[in-house]
Amino acid sequence: MTIKDTPEEWQVTATDTPFRGNKTSVRTDHVVMPDGTVVKRDYQVHPGSVAVLALDTQGRVLVLRQYRHPVRHKLWEIPAGLLDVPGENPLHAAQRELYEEAHVKAEDWRVLTDIYTTPGGCDEAVRIFLARDLSEAEGERFEVSEEEADMELARVPLDELVRGALAGELHNTCLVVGVLSAAAALRGTGFDALRAAEAPWPARPFEA
């Protein structure tokens, strides 16, 4: 038996959008269930995101500490950001985020994993990249504001982040999934066996 997620779309008889925000909105779909009944399903409509697990030659991951108001926590995270333009190449978006948030560039890029963050209530899809061969970016640093103005940067050994995730000390989705995936790849077939940086992404199709 092959364990694999498969696309499927149940009939929607009506759709409403009770809220529209700057980047996301809330949608209400009237969905036909297998027994023929129709139920409402509310969910956040999201443009999609990218995240970057940037790993240096010493086995350390570049992480950021940022305040997240909905959960009232400062969370350790990996660089991440929205796909600003529909159909945007996710690799280009990831390279932009790594530059803007950490002023770092990378020569070697791979797809680490693809996830749906909260599929029961949001359609956000995230592609997490592995970036290696790191170096300081050229030019002036990107000017940050709001929560990002208070960010802290650090480089932490991958094994320490794995320990923190399993101990319940680290909670950010992309960080936890990213470090556990990287550790699994490292202990398995290795990073060179990961998908190419511009591998197809059905959840957010793009042109290479």
Side-chain angles (χ1 to χ4, degrees):
M1 179 180 179
T2 301
I3 303 299
K4 182 178 179 180
D5 295 336
T6 55
E8 185 168 338
E9 188 167 351
W10 292 2
Q11 182 183 359
V12 175
T13 60
T15 296
D16 305 304
T17 306
F19 171 79
R20 294 183 186 274
N22 185 34
K23 295 288 186 180
T24 67
S25 60
V26 173
R27 180 177 296 164
T28 300
D29 284 347
H30 300 245
V31 186
V32 181
M33 297 289 106
D35 64 1
T37 60
V38 178
V39 301
K40 291 183 180 180
R41 290 290 177 261
D42 303 318
Y43 59 100
Q44 182 185 21
V45 178
H46 194 285
S49 307
V50 292
V52 185
L53 191 138
L55 188 68
D56 68 16
T57 55
Q58 299 178 51
R60 301 175 303 175
V61 178
L62 195 157
V63 291
L64 315 164
R65 189 170 183 243
Q66 183 173 348
Y67 177 66
R68 294 301 187 182
H69 186 71
V71 295
R72 309 305 199 269
H73 269 69
K74 272 192 171 181
L75 300 179
W76 285 104
E77 307 179 352
I78 56 177
L82 298 175
L83 294 170
D84 292 332
V85 180
E88 181 178 16
N89 187 311
L91 174 60
H92 299 167
Q95 292 169 333
R96 179 184 69 236
E97 293 301 328
L98 185 60
Y99 164 75
E100 291 182 356
E101 295 193 349
H103 201 66
V104 166
K105 64 180 181 179
E107 298 301 322
D108 187 280
W109 290 83
R110 307 273 175 160
V111 174
L112 188 54
T113 190
D114 298 324
I115 60 173
Y116 291 116
T117 54
T118 48
C122 179
D123 71 351
E124 181 184 16
V126 182
R127 169 156 281 189
I128 303 176
F129 289 90
L130 173 70
R132 294 181 294 167
D133 294 344
L134 309 181
S135 61
E136 192 79 5
E138 300 175 354
E140 295 184 4
R141 285 186 172 272
F142 183 78
E143 186 175 346
V144 296
S145 61
E146 301 173 351
E147 289 93 342
E148 292 185 352
D150 188 51
M151 283 195 311
E152 305 169 46
L153 274 81
R155 295 194 182 205
V156 180
L158 177 63
D159 288 345
E160 174 60 18
L161 294 174
V162 170
R163 185 209 62 77
L166 297 178
E169 298 169 358
L170 300 170
H171 306 88
N172 176 265
T173 302
C174 292
L175 182 143
V176 171
V177 172
V179 300
L180 294 180
S181 297
L186 198 57
R187 289 166 173 77
T189 54
F191 292 145
D192 290 340
L194 294 171
R195 286 173 290 162
E198 298 203 54
W201 189 18
R204 294 294 185 275
F206 65 94
E207 290 188 12

